[in-house]
Amino acid sequence: GAVVSQHPSRVICKSGTSVKIECRSLDFQATTMFWYRQFPKQSLMLMATSNEGSKATYEQGVEKDKFLINHASLTLSTLTVTSAHPEDSSFYICSAHLIVGEKLFFGSGTQLSVL
Amino acid sequence: KQEVTQIPAALSVPEGENLVLNCSFTDSAIYNLQWFRQDPGKGLTSLLLIQSSQREQTSGRLNASLDKSSGRSTLYIAASQPGDSATYLCAVTGANSKLTFGKGITLSVRP
């Protein structure tokens, strides 16, 4: 089946630093990828839709200057958490459709801990 | 605004038991519904996808049903095993192609 690779799986950083998370579709091309955030025992919340070659579409309440998304190729989307603070500590997951409207394939997630 | 509810939040059963996980959603105008499995600290694995025109899907010991008009879906797990222990999330795709997730049901199957 389709594979979505997400890296790194875990990152610990100091407050004020920026962290980049990569999401790759390994065996298919994804014009659209999705970035989610998940707090413990909570549901996944869609942060933004990453569109290849154009600007990402952010959900209401998500700061686009805080969470920078770049989708420069059909197989790679990156999420950069800029000037991270402890409240940004969360589990971030990306996903992509193999075929639009069909199953979503998810990366393995990135646990971000900001000290 | 679509809301997806999964109750209870946690469930513990003995091995071998057949069980049903419930999911309800408020807006019946959905494109499809998916059930996912999430292991601790991991991403999601899609288990079953039911298109809005379908009523159920089966994969191995799993069977998912969809009653769109009443806003309900169930995931049936037959002959549960300790390896089935995980969090099960349901999510609906709306007309805007966005997924709305429930909070999940954490299942523990006791040997």
Side-chain angles (χ1 to χ4, degrees):
Chain A
V3 176
V4 174
S5 174
Q6 187 172 340
H7 179 81
S9 59
R10 179 177 295 273
V11 60
I12 301 172
C13 68
K14 292 182 179 179
S15 184
T17 59
S18 294
V19 175
K20 179 184 283 188
I21 303 170
E22 293 187 347
C23 181
R24 294 180 184 273
S25 55
L26 294 187
D27 49 1
F28 65 102
Q29 294 181 332
T31 55
T32 302
M33 292 185 177
F34 304 94
W35 286 96
Y36 296 86
R37 182 173 181 175
Q38 184 181 33
F39 290 106
K41 299 190 183 301
Q42 298 296 314
S43 61
L44 276 73
M45 298 299 295
L46 179 65
M47 298 175 64
T49 302
S50 173
N51 305 297
E52 187 269 334
S54 64
K55 291 182 179 180
T57 305
Y58 290 82
E59 294 302 299
Q60 191 173 12
V62 178
E63 300 176 59
K64 57 183 67 177
D65 294 331
K66 173 77 170 175
F67 300 99
L68 300 179
I69 291 174
N70 184 280
H71 195 153
S73 77
L74 286 170
T75 59
L76 174 64
S77 175
T78 60
L79 168 68
T80 301
V81 183
T82 62
S83 186
H85 291 285
E87 57 265 30
D88 299 323
S89 298
S90 186
F91 192 60
Y92 295 86
I93 313 178
C94 67
S95 70
H97 287 290
L98 175 59
I99 299 173
V100 175
E102 297 294 323
K103 283 185 179 182
L104 260 183
F105 294 90
F106 282 79
S108 55
T110 299
Q111 182 64 54
L112 172 63
S113 299
V114 184
L115 304 177
Chain B
K1 179 185 173 184
Q2 178 74 271
E3 292 184 5
V4 179
T5 302
Q6 294 183 255
I7 296 174
L11 186 64
S12 179
V13 300
E15 182 176 4
E17 191 164 299
N18 301 324
L19 57 103
V20 174
L21 307 181
N22 295 303
C23 171
S24 62
F25 47 95
T26 55
D27 186 350
S28 62
I30 63 170
Y31 188 65
N32 60 42
L33 182 145
Q34 295 185 68
W35 281 93
F36 295 90
R37 168 180 173 144
Q38 185 178 28
D39 293 289
K42 303 293 184 183
L44 277 67
T45 300
S46 180
L47 298 173
L48 290 165
L49 180 146
I50 311 176
Q51 299 291 359
S52 61
S53 58
Q54 299 173 325
R55 295 194 67 85
E56 67 176 341
Q57 285 288 328
T58 298
S59 175
R61 294 183 293 109
L62 305 179
N63 175 277
S65 67
L66 173 63
D67 184 341
K68 200 174 72 164
S69 61
S70 68
R72 295 180 187 276
S73 176
T74 61
L75 177 66
Y76 176 82
I77 303 177
S80 58
Q81 303 170 358
D84 295 330
S85 299
T87 297
Y88 292 82
L89 297 100
C90 74
V92 296
T93 302
N96 57 7
S97 299
K98 294 179 181 177
L99 261 69
T100 302
F101 284 84
K103 292 184 179 181
I105 298 174
T106 299
L107 172 66
S108 174
V109 181
R110 307 186 301 271

